[in-house]
Structure formats: C-alpha cells, structure tokens
Amino acid sequence: MAKNDRKNTIPPEIINFLSATSGRSLLVKGGSGTGKTTFALQLLESFASPENSFYLSTRVSDEALFSQFPWLREKEMKRRILDSSKMLLDVLYKKEEETPKEEIKTIATARSFLKSIDGEYGPPSRVDRTRLSMLIEENHMPEVESLYDMIDHILPNKAMVVVDSIEGITHKYGLEMEEVVMCFQKDLVENSNVNVVMVLEKADAGGIEYLADGLISMERGEIEERRVRYVHLEKLRATEISQPFYPVTLKDGKFNSFLPWVGGKSSHSKWEIENVKEEFFSTGVPDLDELLGGGFKKGSYNGFEVGEGVSREEYYSILRPIFLSFLARKRGIIAILPGGEAPEIFRDDLTKYIDPEVFDNVVRIADYFAANTDKKYIMPLRKGTTEDALRIWRDGEKAARGIGNYSNDKGNPFIEYTGFDSLEYIQGESPAIKGLLTGVVRTKLAGDLGIGLLKPGLKVTKEVFNMMDTYFKIVSIGHTPCIYGIKPKTKIYAVTPDQVKGEPYINLNPIV
C-alpha cells in the first residue's frame, strides 16, 4: 500500500482534524487491550513523515514494541521510536552541569521574545519551553527535554509527536496529569505548531478533556460472543464529525477503520467468471468461498439474516456477487423478492455487470400482485387458478435453467432466491414454512442453490434456521456492512469494496 493510501485506514475526520495549519492536540483513551498503542503507531506511520515525527514510549521498551509490532522494524519507522528508559540513561544530568534557575528564566524570556517575532513573520522556528521550564525546576525529565530538542531541529516544519502514555510520565516524576497535558498543549501545540497525540492508559480521561483539542476513545464489545472494536470520535475541535463511530480491526498489528458503505461507485465492467471446484457454487467472494471450504455446496440452502437498520445497499453488497456469479455463467434466478423491492430495480442493479438479454432470458421474478405484464422476467401470479400459477412457475423454472436458450433439455442449475418477509406476508406463517420445506427438498434433489433472506421480526426465522445448511447474519456497524457465520461459526468480517477491482467485488476483513 502506498504511503498516501495509508491515510484511508484512519477515520477521515481525524485526518481533517490533524491537517489544520495550526498545531492540534488529541487525547486517546480506552481500556486495556482496546488498541490505543496500535492506533497511535498507525497514525504516526500514515500521517507524518519520518523525519518530522516521534513516538515517545513510556510504558514499554522499543524492543518490546518491535516484538509486538514487527512492521516497526522498517527503517523509516524505527527511527521514530524513542525509548524513554534508554533516554534516561543516555541523557543523565550531573549536578554541576545543570543550568542555573536564573539562566532558565533568562532563556525562557528570550524564547518568548523570539516566539513573538516568529508569530509576526511565519511559523515558529524554536520550541517554546515556558511550561517545561517550570516543571523541571524540581526534577529533570530527560526524555521530554530531549524530545523538545529534537523538535527544535525540525521547526519551522510541522512536527508530530505521540506520547504513550501520559500516566507513564506523571507516575515517573510525581506530576499531575493536568500539569503534563497543559505543558504539551501550551509549549508544543499552541506556541510551537506541533501536533501532539497523548495516549491515556484508562477509559476515563479523568477530567482533563477540556485541555485538549480532540478526544477519541477506543472501545470493544461483543456481538453474539464475537469480538467487535470501535473508535468513538467524542470531540474534534473545529472539525465536523459526520460519523462518530467506526468499526476497527487490529489485524497483523495494524489499525484499520472501515468507512460507511456508500455504494454506486462501481467499475461498471462485466463480471468476471471465477474458478471454483466442481462440487461447489462460487459465492462470487473469494474470502467467503474460503470460509465455506470452497463455496456453497450444490443442492444447499443458505440463509442470510439481516439485522436492524441494515440498508438494502448494505445487504446487497453481499448478495449481489452471488447472483452475478450465476448470471455470468448464464445460470438463472427464480425469485420472490423481499418486501419493498421492485423487479425493475433488481434488474437495473444486476444488468450493470451482465448482459441485459441474459437477465431477461434466465431470471424470473414472482409478482403476486400483477395480473399481466409486458416484462419477460416477471411472473404475474395474481390472476387465474392455482393450476395457472403452477404452470407459470414451472415455465419460470425452465427459463431459469436456460432451457431453450443456454442449455440442453436437462438445463443448468439456478438460484431460488426467497425474501421470507414477502412469503410470510403473502402466505402466512404456516404456509411459508411449508413452502420453505418444499423448496429445500426441491433444491437438494435438483442440485440447485437456495438463498433465503430474513428480515427482523419474522415468525419463521427459527424454523428457517433449522433447515439451512449455512446461516449468516448481516449487521451494520457504523453504517459498514458486516457479516458473521452461525453455520459455520465465524468471527465478524467487515465488508469493503475490493481495492483493485472496486464494486461490486468485495473483500471480507476480519475484525480482531
């Protein structure tokens, strides 16, 4: 991944916040193991150039960091790590070499004067040490003083500093957290134009939130015994927060947040047929094929339960590749669409990536409210007897198999796609369950593929689950579609557009 692309792993509001001309301070809080250090390191790598950025570690040594995050051994990252324990040994201050207090005050006054000049003619060229000078009157802080020296060599270029953690400094030197944060805020952020990220070891900021320009919290929880991580943007001064929560993964020791699914940014190229083993149907998603051991088994019935607040665009990001994988092979679909979905929209969606003529020939959509239609792909089932409806359905199955167009008399396998909210509404609970059982038996005998979509509040959900060969749940976390398996049991995966091909191709990213 190119350096400029690495910013995509950080929520855009944070990028905008730290891109301000003036210096900004950001507090990062969260409980143990929530990913604060990983986030801070990723921010440093993604946002700042190596020569202008530093990571001051007060909790663990650099070797411990390299052990936990092997990617830090890269030369451009390694030079940024400042191990405070080593710096304490490297910068021991002898009593006779200490600068007299009077001289400290003189230097502070001079620097204040120079700072006023810098303010008139451009960015500051020297680090303001007013607050630091006060703190070190009683006790030197070698690592902090050396950090100031390093920033001095960088100015007037903008520097970035990560301090991990603030408590590490306060405990070491017997200071109050407010004193240290105020020191960095006044000296570095406000008066030296430095971006400072300060990591807190606890989930509670302890009342110092008002001192910093920004505050975010790293959080983790569970969904059905599966780990989920978030970053919560609580305050970013002068920055619009359009999305306060982002799902996050720490895979491979890297912080990666996921943007809300927008949709509509498709490549508009024809769907490519992927290789798949003979005994499977491809899901159209290589990551999902791998989870299933090769894809959907032939003759299987597979359920997708949609959680509260999941939009059509979000769940179709997962279903769309399944349909396209079939249609690209001229294999058809016979469908009872979920409630509120129009056949025309279903067609417009898929014909961006496959030939419209193929769609019209092998897709058949049941419409229980239409008596007649001039559209080849719609099956009008309102008018006529039960026998008429059965005849229309059988003709639809022949079309879906490609008989007369793309296959011999036996025909190709097809997808039987059922929106169970529509089925339950039209037929009632008991007939819908009976219809499912019939469909499952038919699918298994014919070696076709069953796909069932279940929306919240359906009475048939429990019975449907028991009949499914695989069962997945689709949820929305921060408007990012996420999927996890119940059958088989899997972790949670965030759904993102494929980085190379773009939509409708997708990747599944494990949230760990």
Side-chain angles (χ1 to χ4, degrees):
M1 185 184 293
K3 184 180 185 330
N4 290 338
D5 294 333
R6 289 173 180 167
K7 284 190 177 182
N8 294 331
T9 67
I10 306 295
E13 290 91 343
I14 297 177
I15 297 298
N16 293 338
F17 172 74
L18 292 174
S19 296
T21 304
S22 60
R24 291 287 176 86
S25 59
L26 179 65
L27 288 175
V28 182
K29 66 176 184 176
S32 177
T34 54
K36 303 184 297 295
T37 293
T38 308
F39 167 75
L41 290 168
Q42 191 68 49
L43 190 64
L44 205 63
E45 183 199 21
S46 304
F47 196 86
S49 58
E51 62 274 12
N52 293 345
S53 58
F54 304 99
Y55 178 90
L56 178 59
S57 171
T58 65
R59 294 195 291 172
V60 295
S61 68
D62 54 359
E63 285 305 318
L65 281 172
F66 296 146
S67 175
Q68 186 176 356
F69 306 101
W71 57 275
L72 291 177
R73 292 187 181 275
E74 298 172 15
K75 184 177 180 181
E76 71 167 28
M77 282 303 297
K78 192 172 183 178
R79 62 182 293 185
R80 310 189 200 190
I81 308 301
L82 306 179
D83 182 344
S84 66
S85 61
K86 287 187 177 180
M87 292 180 70
L88 182 61
L89 297 175
D90 294 340
V91 198
L92 284 176
Y93 283 77
K94 296 182 180 179
K95 201 74 176 177
E96 60 271 18
E97 295 175 344
E98 290 184 353
T99 306
K101 293 180 182 180
E102 294 76 12
E103 189 174 338
I104 290 175
K105 292 179 180 179
T106 302
I107 293 173
T109 302
R111 289 187 183 280
S112 179
F113 171 72
L114 289 170
K115 179 190 69 179
S116 66
I117 296 176
D118 288 334
E120 293 179 14
Y121 295 99
S125 58
R126 293 174 177 81
V127 174
D128 181 31
R129 300 173 187 254
T130 304
R131 294 274 174 168
L132 179 62
S133 298
M134 297 176 184
L135 290 183
I136 63 175
E137 284 186 357
E138 299 299 328
N139 195 357
H140 279 293
M141 296 188 289
E143 62 269 69
V144 177
E145 294 171 70
S146 292
L147 179 63
Y148 273 51
D149 291 339
M150 293 175 182
I151 296 172
D152 230 345
H153 293 297
I154 291 171
L155 296 180
N157 293 325
K158 192 170 184 179
M160 183 174 191
V161 173
V162 171
V163 181
D164 187 5
S165 66
I166 292 297
E167 290 96 330
I169 295 176
T170 59
H171 294 163
K172 187 173 183 179
Y173 297 108
L175 299 170
E176 296 294 330
M177 218 165 19
E178 188 170 350
E179 291 181 286
V180 177
V181 172
M182 183 66 77
C183 174
F184 291 144
Q185 178 69 26
K186 293 299 182 182
D187 285 356
L188 299 183
V189 179
E190 296 179 12
N191 296 330
S192 303
N193 199 33
V194 177
N195 281 339
V196 180
V197 178
M198 294 171 276
V199 178
L200 304 175
E201 295 184 12
K202 298 178 181 179
D204 183 8
I208 62 169
E209 297 95 332
Y210 75 97
L211 294 174
D213 301 316
L215 174 68
I216 70 168
S217 60
M218 307 295 297
E219 303 171 9
R220 64 180 178 184
E222 287 188 354
I223 297 179
E224 296 194 47
E225 300 180 345
R226 292 162 177 82
R227 176 179 290 171
V228 61
R229 296 181 184 274
Y230 316 87
V231 57
H232 180 196
L233 313 185
E234 298 192 32
K235 178 182 78 168
L236 296 174
R237 188 168 294 159
T239 303
E240 180 181 353
I241 299 177
S242 57
Q243 175 79 15
F245 286 92
Y246 287 85
V248 166
T249 186
L250 304 182
K251 187 176 184 294
D252 298 327
K254 296 261 190 170
F255 174 94
N256 189 16
S257 63
F258 302 104
L259 298 176
W261 186 276
V262 177
K265 298 181 179 179
S266 58
S267 60
H268 291 281
S269 59
K270 296 300 180 183
W271 182 264
E272 299 175 8
I273 296 177
E274 63 283 359
N275 295 323
V276 66
K277 295 180 181 179
E278 181 63 29
E279 65 268 30
F280 295 103
F281 293 129
S282 175
T283 66
V285 183
D287 294 331
L288 187 54
D289 283 344
E290 185 177 347
L291 281 178
L292 293 170
F296 292 126
K297 291 183 179 179
K298 292 186 176 181
S300 66
Y301 213 101
N302 308 273
F304 292 86
E305 181 181 336
V306 176
E308 293 283 355
V310 179
S311 68
R312 180 190 185 277
E313 185 56 42
E314 286 176 324
Y315 64 76
Y316 264 93
S317 68
I318 297 166
L319 297 181
R320 190 179 292 116
I322 299 173
F323 300 144
L324 292 173
S325 183
F326 259 64
L327 293 173
R329 293 178 169 85
K330 296 183 172 61
R331 296 170 176 171
I333 303 169
I334 191 164
I336 300 174
L337 294 179
E341 294 190 18
E344 294 81 4
I345 293 176
F346 188 72
R347 181 182 187 274
D348 290 345
D349 187 316
L350 297 178
T351 53
K352 295 175 184 176
Y353 316 105
I354 53 100
D355 190 339
E357 183 180 355
V358 172
F359 183 98
D360 293 342
N361 284 336
V362 299
V363 176
R364 293 295 180 268
I365 302 171
D367 190 336
Y368 290 92
F369 302 100
N372 298 287
T373 182
D374 59 353
K375 296 180 172 64
K376 187 177 181 180
Y377 56 89
I378 294 179
M379 300 186 296
L381 298 175
R382 179 181 177 185
K383 187 177 180 181
T385 65
T386 302
E387 290 183 0
D388 291 332
L390 289 173
R391 176 184 53 78
I392 292 173
W393 193 276
R394 283 194 294 267
D395 290 343
E397 287 186 353
K398 289 181 181 179
R401 292 199 185 282
I403 295 175
N405 288 303
Y406 306 116
S407 75
N408 53 30
D409 292 339
K410 182 179 178 182
N412 297 321
F414 65 83
I415 292 176
E416 185 170 323
Y417 172 45
T418 304
F420 279 96
D421 58 335
S422 294
L423 200 63
E424 185 175 288
Y425 173 76
I426 294 166
Q427 298 183 357
E429 181 182 354
S430 296
I433 294 172
K434 184 178 178 181
L436 168 64
L437 181 59
T438 302
V440 169
V441 172
R442 182 172 59 243
T443 297
K444 290 186 180 297
L445 290 175
D448 296 324
L449 179 65
I451 300 292
L453 186 76
L454 297 104
K455 291 188 176 179
L458 293 181
K459 297 177 181 178
V460 299
T461 298
K462 184 177 180 180
E463 286 75 10
V464 168
F465 174 79
N466 292 331
M467 297 183 195
M468 296 292 175
D469 295 286
T470 72
Y471 197 89
F472 290 87
K473 285 194 176 183
I474 303 172
V475 295
S476 181
I477 303 175
H479 302 293
T480 297
C482 297
I483 184 172
Y484 59 95
I486 306 296
K487 294 181 183 179
K489 185 175 181 179
T490 74
K491 56 176 66 100
I492 299 175
Y493 293 83
V495 179
T496 59
D498 185 272
Q499 291 185 352
V500 177
K501 296 181 179 180
E503 297 176 42
Y505 300 94
I506 61 171
N507 298 129
L508 302 186
N509 308 272
I511 293 182
V512 296

